[in-house]
Amino acid sequence: MEDMVRVIALAFESDDPIEDYVFPNPEVRRRRTPGMLRILIKHRYLPADAATVALVDDKIVGALLWIPHGYRSPAWREAISGPQLLWAMGPGATRRGIEVDAAIARSAPVEPHDYMVYLGADPQAQRAGVGRALTSRLIADADAAGRAVCGICKDDNVRYYEPFGFERAARTRIGSKGPELNFMLRPAARVSAG
């Protein structure tokens, strides 16, 4: 898990509007993001079987975290992770993190879908196909199940998702004064009846 935390924290350390919004101070972001990610991975993504990694020489060089269709975290897990997130993030960042979760929930389509939340590669492995491989795997699994895949991204990342069949479906804002981002949707593949 620590390598997943490291890779995602590095990938989102700068030039990410959501992380900039949750942790506006870069020094606070570097200090607090790993703790937040550790708790999210442990209590949200691993229990949902919604964490995939890319390995090179047995070292994690990329990670994809998502919310699988229909997954609801058990109440006991939320009760445990909530105070841990508050402690790891601080009260202001926790409130802004809740606004991020609300934007994700608000933008999610009604149709069955998997919602990509974090896709990151170690800076040394970026532009080497790590993100493509992770995204392709999630899409293949979603296609096999007849589910859409979606997520939100900044303007600069729209071109990354388009070759996978994602379309810019809408804009969504984080909170009332946070960044406005693109809601990207890859419609469900038609599953043949056999």
Side-chain angles (χ1 to χ4, degrees), residues 7-89:
V7 164
I8 294 172
L10 282 172
F12 286 86
E13 185 174 58
S14 62
D15 194 31
D16 179 69
I18 295 175
E19 292 301 307
D20 290 348
Y21 179 69
V22 173
F23 298 110
N25 181 308
E27 184 142 329
V28 171
R29 183 179 321 123
R30 275 189 292 282
R31 194 175 65 245
R32 291 194 177 258
T33 296
M36 173 194 73
L37 288 169
R38 200 171 287 113
I39 293 161
L40 290 173
I41 291 168
K42 179 180 179 180
H43 290 288
R44 185 176 289 178
Y45 300 109
L46 288 178
D49 198 23
T52 303
V53 297
L55 301 171
V56 171
D57 297 327
D58 293 327
K59 179 182 175 190
I60 293 176
V61 295
L64 171 61
L65 307 174
W66 72 95
I67 301 167
H69 171 66
Y71 181 76
R72 298 290 177 261
S73 185
W76 68 268
R77 195 170 284 285
E78 292 294 321
I80 291 171
S81 65
Q84 290 177 7
L85 279 170
L86 180 60
W87 179 82
M89 296 172 68

Side-chain angles (χ1 to χ4, degrees), residues 140-191:
D141 291 346
D143 281 354
R147 292 189 305 266
V149 179
C150 59
I152 53 178
C153 71
K154 63 184 179 180
D155 292 342
D156 291 348
N157 288 352
V158 169
R159 288 186 317 270
Y160 172 82
Y161 290 103
E162 289 174 335
F164 293 104
F166 285 87
E167 302 164 357
R168 187 182 342 206
R171 300 276 288 172
T172 188
R173 182 175 297 283
I174 307 295
S176 61
K177 298 178 183 173
E180 190 174 57
L181 300 166
N182 300 290
F183 173 68
M184 303 297 291
L185 175 66
R186 183 182 186 280
R190 296 189 188 271
V191 180

